[in-house]
Amino acid sequence: MISIGFYHKQFFFFLAMAGLLIGIGYISLQQTSQASGRPLTLPAGRESVIMAIGDHGKVVIDDIEVGGVVRFGRGQDEFSYLLLDQLDHAINQLTVTLRWPRPIQPDQATVRAIIVHTEPVPWTWRWVDSQTLVYQLSNIDPAATVSLFVDLPKGAILPSWTQRVFGTIESLPHVIWLSLALILPLMTLLMLGVILIIQARKERFSRTRESSPILPDQLPPALVSALVDGHVSARSLAATLFDLTRRDYLDIGRDKDSYTFTKRRRLLKDQISNELRPFESSLLQKLFPAASAQVSQEDVRVRIGSSLFSKQVAQIYLGVYDEVTGRGYFHTNPSAVQAGYRSAGLALFFLGLIGFGFGITLFANAPTPLLFWVGMIISALSIVRVAPRISNYTTSGLARRRDWLAFRNYLQATDSVDFRLQNQEDFFRYLPYAVALGVEVPWTRRFLKSPFQIPDWYSSSDRVVRLEDFVNDIFPIVGFLGRELAAVKEPTLS
């Protein structure tokens, strides 16, 4: 079977974006897990520092205002300051005076100091009065990192309104955030489930166990795939390539592990408009440069993969959607419907990642609010995953879908086909439809016991005498083309 479905470029694009945002969040977490503030640059011989702490967590040192270094928590607030970080000289004695904006009961505060990258440093602290705390440190090594921490009772320092809002959010019980993290994806799945159930109830009238060996009409394989599945897939493009070879537009050659693609005839613009559908013409233009009649497998890979997302490939997809909608099989173009859901899902996905990244910084002390963003990300992925399955068939569309499903049942029947020249012609005639409908393997299996003659549009440096040899040769390259084309379609296209 042709394996198509894992689109590396889209996967790595979203993985890179997710990794970038999570990396930012991780760095922020590392920063917020340490003391805040800008380390002091003390000249040699200076032995005292006075820090005035004001409301909103602002600190003034030597008449210079330093950024907020107070984290407003649930039951208490935490003052933290990265005082020293690897000076170029040792300090024999250092006195640090902290002055608070309003009186504090000393027994309601917890005073700490963390000193690393050095031998133990003697330090003490004492309250001069209810608004003044003094640290005494001695024998500080040049390599030392000194951080000061004071846990304060609520009301000692007044927060700004934004700090108050974030503090309120942090103080909400964990069960609320856990509930939101579960409710968001559950509600999303419930709504998507209702949509799919309503759609399935309509589509059940087009399901059938009947088997019909007759083509319902001359609908191109790509349109058949869109009609049956409700969306255009990479398999549709692979089926189109098979169909173009059968209709004498394209030859495929194989030389060991390399393939070539050759135009069998050059078409004028008026012939293209009359003989090829717009999406088929766009597909050939994507494969072949304007002045070239033959390309190698590597040429195709380079041409297709020259950009992250290709508008020309997107036009191929949209061309199939436009034609199948124009035939009256869908109320609204499935591409527009599915793109709306996918765009909403992608927007929620990136909003969730951004919120998660900023949340790591804002709620470092109480990370449970991050569960809200996790729930949003799961909801977004659910929407993106389900979007390709959403469609809106018309009554005539469901009736024609039933006919093609009956034909698919014939293609995947288990009984062998007796050899006749007409049967082999039917094999190649129906092969593009088998690929489009995902039953190329059972369709091929029905002919394995029959004599085989290689088609005139295929050549190989190896000897191909059996049908099994042929399909082992041809299916991988068509699968490759399908994957490469699908990998560069725009993310909102299903």
Side-chain angles (χ1 to χ4, degrees):
M1 178 178 288
I2 300 174
S3 175
I4 303 172
F6 185 76
Y7 307 152
H8 294 81
K9 287 192 175 182
Q10 292 184 30
F11 172 77
F12 286 117
F13 174 76
F14 293 125
L15 184 64
M17 292 298 296
L20 175 63
L21 292 173
I22 292 174
I24 293 173
Y26 176 78
I27 294 173
S28 299
L29 179 61
Q30 298 304 306
Q31 293 175 344
T32 54
S33 64
Q34 302 172 358
S36 305
R38 182 176 57 193
L40 297 180
T41 302
L42 295 179
R46 181 169 179 176
E47 297 182 347
S48 65
V49 175
I50 298 176
M51 305 174 67
I53 297 93
D55 289 333
H56 306 172
K58 295 181 179 179
V59 176
V60 176
I61 304 175
D62 295 338
D63 297 326
I64 298 176
E65 185 176 300
V66 182
V69 291
V70 176
R71 296 173 184 163
F72 297 92
R74 296 179 183 175
Q76 61 182 12
D77 303 327
E78 180 190 65
F79 165 86
S80 64
Y81 195 84
L82 180 60
L83 184 68
L84 302 174
D85 189 15
Q86 300 182 356
L87 291 174
D88 56 1
H89 60 276
I91 300 177
N92 293 327
Q93 188 76 22
L94 180 63
T95 301
V96 181
T97 302
L98 307 180
R99 291 178 177 170
W100 313 107
R102 52 189 52 83
I104 299 171
Q105 292 292 333
D107 59 352
Q108 296 180 358
T110 302
V111 180
R112 294 172 290 142
I114 298 178
I115 305 171
V116 296
H117 307 308
T118 183
E119 296 295 328
V121 173
W123 70 277
T124 60
W125 57 271
R126 60 186 177 86
W127 287 92
V128 176
D129 54 47
S130 60
Q131 288 184 248
T132 308
L133 173 67
V134 176
Y135 280 90
Q136 293 282 351
L137 303 98
S138 54
N139 300 327
I140 303 174
D141 189 87
T145 297
V146 179
S147 301
L148 307 181
F149 296 86
V150 182
D151 295 331
L152 303 167
K154 300 298 291 184
I157 300 175
L158 298 181
S160 65
W161 71 268
T162 55
Q163 291 169 331
R164 189 177 297 112
V165 169
F166 287 121
T168 301
I169 293 175
E170 282 186 325
S171 65
L172 291 176
H174 297 333
V175 66
I176 292 180
W177 298 111
L178 181 59
S179 299
L180 285 175
L182 295 175
I183 290 173
L184 276 176
L186 287 177
M187 290 294 294
T188 302
L189 291 174
L190 179 61
M191 290 187 293
L192 293 174
V194 170
I195 294 173
L196 293 178
I197 289 173
I198 295 174
Q199 179 174 304
R201 291 183 64 182
K202 295 179 181 179
E203 293 178 5
R204 68 180 180 180
F205 298 106
S206 66
R207 297 172 188 166
T208 180
R209 294 185 179 180
E210 298 177 1
S211 177
S212 172
I214 302 173
L215 279 175
D217 52 38
Q218 296 302 314
L219 202 63
L223 271 64
V224 173
S225 175
L227 173 61
V228 171
D229 297 332
H231 65 274
V232 180
S233 66
R235 182 172 295 279
S236 308
L237 304 182
T240 299
L241 292 172
F242 268 125
D243 194 44
L244 290 173
T245 60
R246 185 188 62 81
R247 291 158 52 195
D248 296 333
Y249 288 101
L250 188 67
D251 282 347
I252 299 178
R254 179 176 179 270
D255 184 10
K256 296 182 180 179
D257 295 329
S258 179
Y259 293 82
T260 58
F261 303 88
T262 307
K263 289 182 181 178
R264 297 196 73 171
R265 49 178 169 158
R266 293 183 179 273
L267 295 176
L268 300 176
K269 290 185 177 180
D270 59 337
Q271 290 177 304
I272 291 176
S273 62
N274 292 331
E275 300 182 22
L276 289 175
R277 291 173 171 81
F279 73 89
E280 295 173 334
S281 176
S282 297
L283 180 57
L284 288 178
Q285 290 175 13
K286 186 62 179 177
L287 292 180
F288 293 92
S292 178
Q294 186 179 79
V295 292
S296 67
Q297 180 179 353
E298 185 59 29
D299 293 334
V300 172
R301 179 184 286 110
V302 171
R303 281 184 59 79
I304 294 177
S306 59
S307 57
L308 182 62
F309 299 118
S310 170
K311 289 186 177 180
Q312 190 172 3
V313 171
Q315 289 302 317
I316 299 173
Y317 278 79
L318 293 174
V320 178
Y321 281 120
D322 289 342
E323 186 165 347
V324 76
T325 305
R327 290 174 177 262
Y329 297 147
F330 296 93
H331 290 291
T332 308
N333 192 317
S335 173
V337 176
Q338 295 162 10
Y341 281 94
R342 287 175 65 89
S343 297
L346 291 173
L348 284 177
F349 176 76
F350 286 111
L351 179 61
L353 283 179
I354 293 172
F356 187 86
F358 281 106
I360 289 177
T361 301
L362 298 174
F363 306 111
N365 292 333
T368 47
L370 299 179
L371 293 174
F372 171 81
W373 302 109
V374 172
M376 180 179 291
I377 292 172
I378 295 174
S379 301
L381 293 176
S382 301
I383 295 173
V384 173
R385 182 69 176 176
V386 173
R389 301 180 59 185
I390 299 175
S391 56
N392 51 355
Y393 288 98
T394 62
T395 302
S396 62
L398 291 173
R400 184 57 68 192
R401 183 175 186 265
R402 178 186 177 90
D403 296 337
W404 279 105
L405 288 175
F407 181 69
R408 184 176 70 178
N409 292 339
Y410 163 72
L411 295 179
Q412 61 184 349
T414 57
D415 57 306
S416 299
V417 176
D418 294 334
F419 173 74
R420 293 196 313 271
L421 182 60
Q422 181 62 40
N423 287 343
Q424 179 159 302
E425 292 177 358
D426 287 344
F427 170 77
F428 288 112
R429 181 187 177 195
Y430 294 159
L431 182 59
Y433 294 100
V435 173
L437 295 169
V439 293
E440 70 275 8
V441 170
W443 174 241
T444 302
R445 190 179 293 123
R446 298 185 65 185
F447 291 82
L448 288 180
K449 296 181 180 179
S450 302
F452 172 73
Q453 181 178 352
I454 190 171
D456 59 358
W457 51 263
Y458 182 73
S459 62
S460 175
S461 59
D462 295 335
R463 187 181 180 191
V464 179
V465 297
R466 299 177 303 166
L467 178 58
E468 186 176 358
D469 300 328
F470 171 75
V471 296
N472 287 338
D473 270 6
I474 200 67
F475 280 178
I477 189 58
V478 179
F480 154 77
L481 286 170
R483 288 191 301 270
E484 290 292 318
L485 289 167
V488 296
K489 69 182 179 65
E490 295 177 351
T492 53
L493 280 174
S494 299

